[in-house]
Amino acid sequence: MSVRVRFAPSPTGFLHIGGLRTALYNYLFAKKHGGTCVLRIEDTDRTRFVEGAQEGLIEEFKQAGIMFDEGPVQGGALGPYVQSDRFDLYKEHAKKLVDPNLEGNGFAYYAFDTEEDIESMRERQRNAGIAPRYMRGEMNNELTYGSEKTREAIESGVPYVIRLKVPHNRDVRFVDLVHGAIIIAGREIDDQVLIKSDGFPTYHLANVVDDHFMQISHVIRGEEWLPSTPKHVLLYEAFGWEIPQFAHLPLLKNPDGSKMSKRFGDVLVHQFRERGFMPEALINYCAFLGWNPGTEQEFFTMEELVEAFSLERVHKAGAIFDYKRLAWMNAHYLRLEPKERLGEEFASMLEANGVTYASKEYIENVAQLMKERVQTVNELVPFSTYMFKDPIHFEKDYLEQHWNEETETIVTSFLDVLSSIEPFTNEQIETSVKEFLTNNSIPMKKFVHPLRVAITGKKIGADLYSTIQLLGKNAVVRRLKSILELRNQMTEFVTEGIDPKTGETIEVTMVELPITPLEIHN
RNA sequence: GCAGCAUUCGUCUAGCGGUUAGGACACCGCCCUUUCACGGCGGUAACACGGGUUCGAUUCCCGUAUGCUGUACCA
């Protein structure tokens, strides 16, 4: 039998990272076995429908590199792929489960309870301290009414639901590909509503009917479905259909161990994208949340994942989502990013932050130079401010530490060397600087730190010589002269900074140069 | 409450009766070095607990504890 799997989201909003992981495993499993991956939209809950969500989902999968073989957009032989377009199918099948004589001998039955009936039943159960399950023997339904009263009720238009008649006298068992044999006593299973009073099916019915007609061979979904799987098994049995293989994936969790939620940070795929995480990193990281290849290889392309994936190696316990590890992985992919593509991403980040730049080539070079120092493209923006505008703010302590009268003498004489460097390349700049230092017996440390702080305004940054080259001779000379001339006219102010060691917010004293900073237009 | 599922370093995990319990992230040192980052080297750190089974249990079985999920006319 050929492998056919599906990812079946409900269009209630953006794609959750857990959804991405589930879809990924479905995709990997399908591709690994030369099978088919289906996208099905489960919109049976009309009250939660969100306009445009379906389109958003599809776009996010496209970016991530997950391609569905069949779905609402690409179509397929076993469609339609949106449940609201399959409405009649569910009702028709639910009715097949009901006893035609309306004597309650079917696999399902009509029930006429109002919301208040159900609520009072639960109230009584709560008080009695027993499990809240539908008490089919004492409620308003086909079983208690008998065929005549049931027929009358239906004909006179009393709203009804159709419930699954769960056999209470036996166990329901099935094999889960990741958890092994699962056995649940029938008496623990509730008489699930199959058709709601609005005529729509519940997830349980629609899911089984669709999986059957779409010939799904493996149901790979989140572990939150494990407790309701017996209901699905019962439905397959009632219809006399072949039961697919089940594989329930471990849940993604918050740092405190609860089910992953927005309480602890971003959980939506588009939020990760906006924060500068790359699709490759997201996919690679998600793949390893609950699965591993059993080798020591950590970085995988989608093709390699397909090759290496197997359900047997899926872990059983839930996994806490570690943002730091994702960042580390993203940094790896960032370093691999081709110059042009990185340039484009950087450009859109700059535009989003209102930074203007002159040429595509320049920002490509800036990104290339700095990508090894950051973990996401977004970080490139604050990291590279001095590549776009002369710095005017300096950390007071740091400047004083590296800048004194001796420095001024050295820098002043270096200005002559600088103007004569030709060609103005990082190699030549480095050579000239070193010659200058040797000729004047100046130790490296006495010079490069003041040079860096004067040119960039920061203590950390990328290779200084390349930075000087990219900025260009004019800008560097201008910056050095500004400090030289206006050093004593700087004004102090206090601002908030972040302690790099502790991550705490601390007060930092800054000094400001009394100039209007020029923009770099290289 | 009831049911199901789970439990190896802080985190992701390897392990499928005999291992100095391995790797990666994070953290801490050292090296490289113009700062930072990368990289290299090293370090701290784990089998939840109690019973069995066995010559021997991290590994198999049973309890306990803890956590998670479910317990809807939501998915």
Side-chain angles (χ1 to χ4, degrees), chain A residues 13 84 112 115 128 144 178 197 209 219 254 259 347 383 431 463 489:
Chain A
S84 53
F112 307 92
E115 244 176 81
T144 53
V178 346
S197 54
V209 169
V219 172
N254 289 318
K259 190 171 162 180
F383 198 83
T431 306
D463 176 68
Q489 297 174 39

Side-chain angles (χ1 to χ4, degrees), chain A residues 14-21 57 252 260-262 267-269:
Chain A
F14 294 99
L15 182 63
H16 190 279
I17 198 83
L20 179 69
R21 204 272 308 253
L57 248 30
L252 265 30
M260 193 176 176
S261 68
K262 62 185 173 205
V267 294
L268 302 178
V269 173

Side-chain angles (χ1 to χ4, degrees), chain A residues 85-94 205 209-210 213:
Chain A
D85 293 338
R86 301 166 67 82
F87 186 86
D88 295 337
L89 193 64
Y90 311 119
K91 198 155 194 172
E92 174 196 330
H93 279 81
L205 205 225
V209 169
D210 286 344
F213 286 107

Side-chain angles (χ1 to χ4, degrees), chain A residues 118-183:
Chain A
I118 298 290
E119 189 39 52
S120 82
M121 174 191 81
R122 296 220 172 97
E123 183 69 41
R124 276 181 284 134
Q125 289 168 325
R126 260 196 302 277
N127 294 339
I130 58 174
R133 273 191 285 277
Y134 185 75
M135 301 172 83
R136 69 167 79 124
E138 38 192 280
M139 302 298 286
N140 306 305
N141 55 50
E142 192 183 325
L143 280 51
T144 53
Y145 279 12
S147 59
E148 201 157 317
K149 191 173 172 190
T150 301
R151 189 166 290 115
E152 272 172 29
I154 292 172
E155 278 167 10
S156 62
V158 177
Y160 66 84
V161 299
I162 296 179
R163 283 181 183 271
L164 181 65
K165 193 172 149 200
V166 175
H168 289 168
N169 56 350
R170 68 171 178 99
D171 294 342
V172 177
R173 51 186 70 205
F174 61 96
V175 176
D176 184 278
L177 262 20
V178 346
H179 294 281
I182 308 281
I183 303 170

Side-chain angles (χ1 to χ4, degrees), chain A residues 303-319:
Chain A
E303 292 70 33
E304 290 171 323
L305 284 173
V306 167
E307 182 56 35
F309 189 79
S310 80
L311 243 24
E312 289 74 46
R313 293 203 63 88
V314 172
H315 198 71
K316 290 176 174 179

Side-chain angles (χ1 to χ4, degrees), chain A residues 120-300:
Chain A
S120 82
M121 174 191 81
R122 296 220 172 97
E123 183 69 41
R124 276 181 284 134
Q125 289 168 325
R126 260 196 302 277
N127 294 339
I130 58 174
R133 273 191 285 277
Y134 185 75
M135 301 172 83
R136 69 167 79 124
E138 38 192 280
M139 302 298 286
N140 306 305
N141 55 50
E142 192 183 325
L143 280 51
T144 53
Y145 279 12
S147 59
E148 201 157 317
K149 191 173 172 190
T150 301
R151 189 166 290 115
E152 272 172 29
I154 292 172
E155 278 167 10
S156 62
V158 177
Y160 66 84
V161 299
I162 296 179
R163 283 181 183 271
L164 181 65
K165 193 172 149 200
V166 175
H168 289 168
N169 56 350
R170 68 171 178 99
D171 294 342
V172 177
R173 51 186 70 205
F174 61 96
V175 176
D176 184 278
L177 262 20
V178 346
H179 294 281
I182 308 281
I183 303 170
I184 296 182
R187 80 187 102 81
E188 302 294 345
I189 306 167
D190 201 5
D191 281 2
Q192 184 65 48
V193 168
L194 265 19
I195 295 287
K196 306 179 221 176
S197 54
D198 63 3
F200 271 72
T202 57
Y203 167 84
H204 307 282
L205 205 225
N207 159 69
V208 166
V209 169
D210 286 344
D211 283 346
H212 171 71
F213 286 107
M214 292 183 184
Q215 297 171 21
I216 299 303
S217 62
H218 298 259
V219 172
I220 303 171
R221 78 231 300 192
E223 201 185 282
E224 68 268 30
W225 293 110
L226 199 51
S228 52
T229 303
K231 294 169 186 171
H232 306 162
V233 170
L234 251 16
L235 279 170
Y236 284 105
E237 287 178 359
F239 286 122
W241 292 339
E242 189 182 346
I243 301 174
Q245 303 275 302
F246 293 104
H248 288 94
L249 273 17
L251 259 20
L252 265 30
K253 304 194 293 186
N254 289 318
D256 74 344
S258 57
K259 190 171 162 180
M260 193 176 176
S261 68
K262 62 185 173 205
R263 214 150 50 84
F264 288 86
D266 292 337
V267 294
L268 302 178
V269 173
H270 81 94
Q271 292 175 321
F272 283 98
R273 297 286 297 125
E274 281 162 15
R275 278 177 47 187
F277 288 100
M278 295 158 58
E280 295 91 333
L282 236 29
I283 288 293
N284 197 156
Y285 179 70
C286 282
F288 273 70
L289 245 25
W291 171 87
N292 79 85
T295 65
E296 300 210 334
Q297 185 181 346
E298 315 230 38
F299 298 107
F300 281 78

Side-chain angles (χ1 to χ4, degrees), chain A residues 312-497:
Chain A
E312 289 74 46
R313 293 203 63 88
V314 172
H315 198 71
K316 290 176 174 179
I320 294 176
F321 193 91
D322 184 354
Y323 293 85
K324 280 192 171 174
R325 197 175 159 86
L326 204 214
W328 162 76
M329 195 160 258
N330 195 74
H332 170 85
Y333 282 99
L334 188 63
R335 279 174 246 129
L336 261 39
E337 189 81 328
K339 189 172 182 178
E340 282 175 22
R341 214 176 121 189
L342 182 61
E344 278 169 32
E345 290 208 45
F346 187 35
S348 66
M349 293 299 169
L350 288 172
E351 279 155 27
N353 284 278
V355 179
T356 57
Y357 56 91
S359 76
K360 208 174 105 180
E361 199 194 342
Y362 181 66
I363 59 168
E364 279 180 3
N365 288 333
V366 170
Q368 230 24 50
L369 174 63
M370 303 189 152
K371 69 178 182 182
E372 292 224 354
R373 326 271 143 161
V374 298
Q375 295 189 303
T376 63
V377 257
N378 296 35
E379 293 170 59
L380 238 30
V381 176
F383 198 83
S384 64
T385 49
Y386 57 83
M387 297 307 288
F388 299 97
K389 211 175 206 182
D390 292 343
I392 56 167
H393 293 147
F394 302 82
E395 233 180 80
K396 190 187 174 208
D397 288 349
Y398 191 66
L399 189 61
E400 286 178 351
Q401 186 188 337
H402 290 292
W403 196 274
N404 51 41
E405 283 176 18
E406 191 192 353
T407 325
E408 302 202 338
T409 317
I410 298 171
V411 171
T412 305
S413 52
F414 176 68
L415 242 21
D416 293 331
V417 176
L418 187 63
S419 59
S420 68
I421 295 176
E422 204 63 49
F424 204 65
T425 62
N426 58 342
E427 291 94 348
Q428 189 53 49
I429 296 165
E430 180 169 3
T431 306
S432 301
V433 165
K434 285 184 173 162
E435 270 175 28
F436 168 74
L437 294 175
T438 312
N439 294 344
N440 296 283
S441 306
I442 301 165
M444 187 73 132
K445 284 192 194 257
K446 268 198 171 167
F447 184 65
V448 290
H449 292 292
L451 196 58
R452 174 181 296 282
V453 73
I455 292 169
T456 70
K458 297 186 176 188
K459 52 180 141 185
I460 61 166
D463 176 68
L464 229 204
Y465 308 116
S466 301
T467 303
I468 290 173
Q469 180 201 348
L470 273 181
L471 281 170
K473 204 179 276 187
N474 289 345
V476 173
V477 168
R478 181 174 69 234
R479 290 178 183 189
L480 292 177
K481 281 186 174 169
S482 292
I483 294 244
L484 244 21
E485 289 162 14
L486 303 168
R487 166 88 185 88
N488 295 321
Q489 297 174 39
M490 292 175 107
T491 49
E492 269 186 33
F493 68 99
V494 174
T495 186
E496 281 190 347

